[in-house]
């Protein structure tokens, strides 16, 4: 034992006087091995800790702290208690010793046997004795880590400090500049708020000590070893600013100010922060600032040359509308959602009457962003806008204007289909006749561009089960069939095929009775290698390919699959009788259609079973026949 004690004294002497830093690791190894205890290390440091030279005392504390950082898991509660008292006294010593004291306290804060009641004592000592912002970056970081450890492990003891803890941390963080420290500090503030630490009268001070960094202006240095990005800091700060409604009265004016600035990044950050804050706010927090927020968002969407700023502005408007929709109204409460939407309609609706003007689309986007937040918002906006659009469509004769109006209508119809029930008398049902008249007119217009929008609109209307009558559905299917077989514009034809695939899921009987027979009939009159008909505006082979593609697209229901699969298999059989390069291409086309059907059949067990029973034996049979005729290579490569 005496030999070990002598060895310890030698190691301490070499570390303190001989500046041999490696001796700290040897002392720590001795503690871990049980050669001597931490308290014996403190005893061995006695003479240097009593030295009149601050730097000598500092070396002694540094040795002890380095040992504790490696051995804190082996400490007993009584040892921790003694060491805490020791370090608290050292905080009153010369400032050169403070960094080493903080390292020791950090080690002790990680101990699972930290005695109850001492957390408050340690933090009070740090708050009172240490001017944190005069320390070096690493030492400030140590303070943040001590606080973090206590918050993770001794939350209730910290909360016993009440608002004094919040005020103490505000003093610690005030003036922090280093991004590494800020990331930790932001997390601490977020925890203070979200874990319901007492803020007392210091709400505004806590906001100010964090919001002074908004918006984040940080560019990491080249080859930054820490890997901290501007986005990391932005998200950390945003989580703080948006974490509590108690910041609303301070945050919202700041966001309006930044939205009105000339810096695009500041606009984006402000809009994104507003969107995040709306998740925790209610209408009482927004009431005073709604007018200013709407004015700033409207200006950014109307005037911005940046797609990103526009997108974030629309997202923020959606969030505001959602927040107002979410608020529970009392019997005497003002319905701020209704007031807010009325203002938006007043500022935007008249622009929809000018389809050739530049503000028509920004206005439509703003209205749709607000309407898309809730059923109530959707009903309020669309009930006001749809009659206007229907009227405007009838007043304008130019296809380009009609297309713009129909595209806007389509956007609102999509919102209706998302939010409002199909049997809602205040929803789409009262607009059924004028809507059908508008869309059927558009789908027969000479403009192929108008056709494409009309087809998308038909798809939305047809997807509402029970909205269109059986006669309307038949007419929709007939229009889609006509576009597939006769439309010269490839994009319009493709839109019709895609729409057919969507609507066949909802109305399989109409497609089985109307479209499939017409496609089959046209296939029979168009030979696979037939010459083009001079009277036809669409090449015969293109019609043949369209028919096959459409047959596959509508195979979304068992009743349709039973009709389409035999037709496609007949064309595979026919191809066996024709040889040549064109024949090979046609077989590939038919097989692609069969493959498309197979993919669609995965959604329904009955369809999939039927497919396997019909298609697989047929293709195997054709391959065997081809092998017997010496043409197996072709069939194997195709099938």
């Amino acid at each position: 034992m005496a030999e070990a004690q002598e060895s310890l004294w030698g190691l301490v002497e070499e570390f303190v006087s001989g500046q041999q830093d490696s001796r700290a690791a040897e002392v720590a190894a001795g503690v871990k091995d049980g050669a001597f205890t931490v308290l014996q290390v403190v005893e061995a440091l006695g003479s240097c800790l009593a030295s009149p030279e601050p730097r000598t005392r500092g070396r002694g504390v540094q040795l002890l702290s380095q040992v504790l950082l490696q051995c804190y898991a082996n400490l007993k509660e009584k040892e921790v208690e003694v060491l805490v008292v020791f370090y608290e006294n050292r905080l009153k010593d010369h400032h050169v010793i403070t960094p080493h004291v903080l390292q020791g306290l950090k080690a002790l804060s990680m101990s699972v046997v930290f005695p109850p009641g001492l957390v408050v004592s340690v933090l009070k000592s740090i708050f009172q004795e240490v001017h944190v912002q005069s320390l070096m970056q690493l030492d400030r970081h140590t303070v943040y880590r001590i606080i973090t450890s206590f918050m993770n492990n001794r939350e209730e003891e910290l909360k016993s400090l009440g608002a004094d803890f919040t005020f103490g941390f505000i003093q610690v963080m005030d003036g922090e500049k280093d991004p590494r420290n800020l990331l930790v500090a932001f997390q601490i503030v977020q925890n203070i708020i979200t874990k319901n630490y007492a803020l007392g009268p210091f709400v505004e001070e806590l906001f100010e000590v964090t919001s002074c960094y908004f918006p984040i202006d940080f560019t990491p240095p080249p080859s930054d070893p820490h890997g901290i990005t501007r986005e990391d800091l932005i998200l950390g700060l945003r989580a703080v600013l948006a974490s509590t409604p108690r910041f609303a009265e301070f945050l919202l004016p700041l966001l309006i100010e930044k939205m009105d600035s000339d810096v695009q990044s500041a606009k984006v950050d402000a809009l994104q922060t507003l969107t995040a804050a709306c998740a925790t706010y209610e209408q009482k927090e927004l009431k005073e600032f709604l007018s200013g927020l709407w004015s700033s968002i409207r200006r950014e969407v109307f005037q911005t040359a940046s797609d990103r700023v526009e997108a974030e502005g629309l997202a923020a408007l959606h969030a505001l509308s959602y927040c107002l929709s979410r608020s529970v109204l009392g019997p005497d409460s003002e319905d701020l959602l209704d007031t807010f939407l009325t203002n938006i309609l007043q500022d935007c609706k008249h622009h929809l009457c000018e389809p050739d003007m530049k503000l028509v689309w920004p206005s439509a986007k703003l209205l749709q962003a607000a309407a898309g937040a809730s059923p109530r918002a959707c009903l309020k906006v669309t009930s006001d806008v749809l009659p206007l659009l229907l009227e405007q469509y009838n007043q304008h004769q130019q296809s380009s204007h009609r297309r713009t109006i129909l595209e806007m209508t389509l956007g609102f119809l999509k919102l209706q289909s998302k939010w409002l029930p199909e049997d809602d008398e205040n929803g789409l049902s009262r607009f059924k006749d004028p809507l059908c008249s508008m869309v059927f007119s558009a789908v027969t217009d000479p403009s192929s561009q108008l056709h494409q929008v009309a087809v998308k609109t038909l798809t939305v209307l047809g997807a509402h089960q029970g909205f269109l009558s059986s006669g309307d559905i038949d007419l929709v299917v007939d229009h889609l069939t006509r576009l597939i077989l006769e439309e010269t514009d490839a994009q319009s034809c493709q839109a019709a095929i895609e729409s057919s695939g969507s609507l066949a899921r909802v109305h399989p009987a109409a497609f089985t009775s109307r479209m499939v027979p017409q496609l089959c009939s046209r296939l029979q009159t168009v030979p696979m290698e037939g010459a083009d008909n001079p009277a036809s505006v669409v090449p015969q082979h293109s019609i043949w390919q369209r028919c096959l593609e459409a047959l596959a697209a509508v195979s979304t229901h068992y009743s349709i699959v039973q009709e389409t699969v035999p037709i496609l298999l007949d064309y595979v059989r026919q191809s066996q009788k024709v040889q040549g390069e064109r024949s090979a291409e046609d077989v590939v086309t038919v097989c692609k259609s069969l493959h498309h059907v197979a993919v669609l059949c995965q959604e329904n067990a009955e369809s999939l079973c039927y497919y396997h029973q019909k298609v697989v034996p047929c293709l195997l049979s054709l391959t065997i026949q081809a092998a017997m005729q010496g043409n197996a290579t072709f069939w194997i490569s195709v099938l």
Side-chain angles (χ1 to χ4, degrees):
M1 180 67 70
E3 185 178 337
Q5 189 72 11
E6 185 177 341
S7 172
L8 173 60
W9 282 75
L11 292 172
V12 168
E13 178 66 22
E14 289 182 28
F15 182 92
V16 174
S17 303
Q19 302 292 312
Q20 297 292 318
D21 290 350
S22 61
R23 296 297 181 257
E26 295 181 42
V27 174
V31 173
K32 288 180 179 179
D33 294 340
F36 29 80
T37 67
V38 169
L39 295 182
Q40 286 176 327
V41 176
V42 176
E43 183 182 351
L45 288 168
S47 59
C48 67
L49 294 177
S51 170
E53 289 296 326
R55 297 195 179 278
T56 301
R57 300 198 300 277
R59 284 293 286 180
V61 175
Q62 181 182 3
L63 171 61
L64 178 59
S65 295
Q66 289 186 12
V67 170
L68 290 177
L69 284 169
Q70 298 184 55
C71 303
Y72 66 86
N74 304 101
L75 294 175
K76 297 180 174 60
E77 183 175 318
K78 187 62 178 178
E79 291 175 322
V80 174
E81 184 176 353
V82 171
L83 289 167
V84 165
V85 174
F86 167 78
Y87 275 114
E88 285 182 344
N89 289 327
R90 292 300 97 192
L91 282 176
K92 301 173 183 178
D93 206 332
H94 196 278
H95 65 86
V96 300
I97 303 174
T98 300
H100 308 308
V101 176
L102 292 173
Q103 287 293 320
L105 287 173
K106 182 177 79 170
L108 294 175
S109 72
M110 295 184 286
S111 172
V112 296
V113 295
F114 200 94
L118 289 186
V119 168
V120 171
S121 176
V122 169
L123 282 184
K124 280 186 174 180
S125 296
I126 291 176
F127 292 159
Q128 293 171 9
E129 304 295 342
V130 182
H131 185 253
V132 176
Q133 291 309 318
S134 66
L135 301 175
M136 299 294 289
Q137 180 274 327
L138 178 61
D139 302 322
R140 300 197 306 274
H141 191 83
T142 301
V143 174
Y144 295 129
R145 286 302 179 191
I146 292 171
I147 295 173
T148 299
S149 291
F150 286 151
M151 292 183 80
N152 290 338
N153 304 317
R154 296 289 191 273
E155 181 177 311
E156 293 306 316
E157 289 183 55
L158 282 187
K159 286 183 176 179
S160 70
L161 273 169
D164 288 345
F165 172 68
T166 300
F167 180 69
F169 179 74
I170 290 171
Q171 291 181 304
V172 167
M173 182 182 174
D174 189 23
E176 182 59 67
K177 295 289 195 298
D178 189 272
R180 292 164 290 181
N181 291 348
L182 284 174
L183 278 181
V184 183
F186 290 157
Q187 185 61 58
I188 291 173
V189 177
Q190 186 183 2
N191 288 339
I192 288 174
I193 294 168
T194 59
K195 295 185 178 180
N196 298 315
Y197 284 76
L199 303 185
F202 305 116
V203 175
E204 185 172 3
E205 287 79 2
L206 188 61
F207 174 79
E208 292 294 340
V209 82
T210 51
S211 65
C212 63
Y213 301 101
F214 183 85
I216 294 291
D217 182 17
F218 168 70
T219 302
S223 304
D224 178 21
H226 308 293
I228 296 175
T229 66
R230 179 172 175 270
E231 188 68 15
D232 293 332
L233 292 168
I234 287 174
L235 294 177
L237 178 56
R238 183 176 302 150
V240 170
L241 297 179
S243 61
T244 174
R246 299 181 70 180
F247 281 169
E249 61 179 305
F250 316 114
L251 176 62
L252 294 176
L254 175 63
L255 296 182
I256 293 173
E257 175 190 336
K258 298 307 177 183
M259 279 187 251
D260 296 346
S261 74
D262 296 326
V263 182
Q264 179 174 320
S265 60
K267 292 177 185 288
V268 170
D269 203 350
L271 290 165
Q272 290 178 336
T273 303
L274 174 59
T275 300
C278 284
T280 61
Y281 289 0
E282 295 184 7
Q283 71 172 22
K284 64 178 182 291
E285 282 81 34
L286 295 172
K287 180 177 181 179
E288 181 183 347
F289 305 99
L290 277 175
S291 178
L293 290 168
W294 162 239
S295 296
S296 295
I297 292 172
R298 178 188 60 200
R299 184 188 61 253
E300 292 311 317
V301 176
F302 275 170
Q303 300 178 6
T304 187
S306 165
D307 290 341
R308 188 178 183 194
V309 172
E310 178 188 275
E312 297 300 343
L314 296 173
L317 181 60
H318 180 91
L320 284 169
S321 183
Y322 177 74
C323 179
L324 296 174
S325 301
R326 190 180 65 234
S327 298
V328 178
L329 298 178
D332 300 322
S333 301
E334 179 185 357
D335 187 354
L336 288 183
L337 175 65
D338 186 77
T339 304
F340 186 57
L341 294 176
T342 298
N343 290 336
I344 296 174
L345 284 163
Q346 182 178 343
D347 290 345
C348 295
K349 193 171 69 170
H350 63 281
H351 292 302
L352 304 184
C353 301
E354 306 165 348
D356 56 340
M357 301 296 287
K358 66 178 183 178
L359 293 182
V360 63
W361 274 115
S363 297
K365 290 176 182 178
L366 286 166
L367 288 166
Q368 289 170 10
S374 70
R376 200 154 60 95
C378 182
L379 181 60
K380 167 75 174 177
V381 174
T382 55
S383 296
D384 209 337
V385 169
L386 278 181
L388 175 65
L389 293 176
L390 291 167
E391 178 185 348
Q392 289 298 306
Y393 184 88
N394 293 325
Q395 289 181 359
H396 289 83
Q397 299 303 316
Q398 292 185 31
S399 296
S400 59
H401 289 177
R402 286 190 159 189
R403 179 191 176 192
T404 299
I405 295 167
L406 188 57
E407 284 180 333
M408 288 189 289
T409 304
L410 174 61
F412 288 105
L413 291 178
K414 287 180 177 179
L415 295 177
Q416 288 265 19
S417 64
K418 173 184 177 182
W419 285 117
L420 301 182
E422 295 168 1
D423 57 352
D424 186 354
E425 294 183 359
N426 294 318
L428 282 179
S429 57
R430 61 195 178 105
F431 302 120
K432 175 185 175 298
D433 291 339
L435 278 172
C436 288
S437 175
M438 177 175 67
V439 180
F440 288 144
S441 168
V443 83
T444 57
D445 191 273
S447 169
S448 61
Q449 298 296 313
L450 189 53
H451 291 170
Q452 295 172 36
V453 185
V455 167
K456 293 177 182 177
T457 310
L458 284 173
T459 306
V460 173
L461 294 177
H464 277 269
Q465 189 70 267
F467 176 71
L468 297 179
S469 67
S470 58
D472 292 330
I473 294 298
D474 289 345
L475 189 55
V476 169
V477 176
D478 289 344
H479 278 304
L480 293 175
T481 304
R482 175 182 55 79
L483 289 173
I484 293 170
L485 297 176
E486 300 176 11
E487 176 59 55
T488 57
D489 181 74
Q491 289 184 331
S492 295
C493 173
Q494 189 60 41
I497 292 173
E498 292 174 2
S499 176
S500 298
S502 297
L503 293 179
R505 300 174 187 274
V506 187
H507 310 285
F511 283 87
T512 302
S513 63
R514 303 186 75 82
M515 178 178 282
V516 173
Q518 289 196 57
L519 295 177
C520 183
S521 175
R522 185 59 66 92
L523 279 171
Q524 292 173 354
T525 61
V526 181
M528 295 173 68
E529 290 193 317
D532 286 341
N533 182 353
S536 176
V537 293
V538 182
Q540 297 294 291
H541 195 261
S542 295
I543 293 177
W544 183 81
Q545 290 177 317
R546 290 181 181 185
C547 289
L548 293 176
E549 187 177 352
L551 285 171
V554 299
S555 300
T556 56
H557 191 275
Y558 177 59
S559 61
I560 305 178
V561 172
Q562 288 178 299
E563 301 291 332
T564 57
V565 165
I567 297 171
L568 294 173
L569 290 178
D570 282 344
Y571 273 84
V572 176
R573 295 188 188 97
Q574 288 181 29
S575 65
Q576 196 175 25
K577 303 174 184 178
V578 183
Q579 299 298 321
E581 183 178 343
R582 179 64 174 271
S583 174
E585 294 176 359
D586 290 341
V587 172
V588 170
T589 302
V590 180
C591 287
K592 284 182 177 178
S593 294
L594 281 169
H595 177 264
H596 189 187
V597 175
V599 172
L600 295 173
C601 285
Q602 303 294 318
E603 303 173 8
N604 180 271
E606 194 174 20
S607 297
L608 187 61
C609 181
Y610 177 83
Y611 185 91
H612 283 167
Q613 290 175 350
K614 294 292 183 180
V615 177
V616 175
C618 178
L619 296 184
L620 287 174
S621 174
L622 289 173
T623 304
I624 293 171
Q625 290 179 32
M628 296 175 63
Q629 297 170 4
N631 196 25
T633 303
F634 165 73
W635 274 98
I636 291 173
S637 64
V638 169
L639 303 178

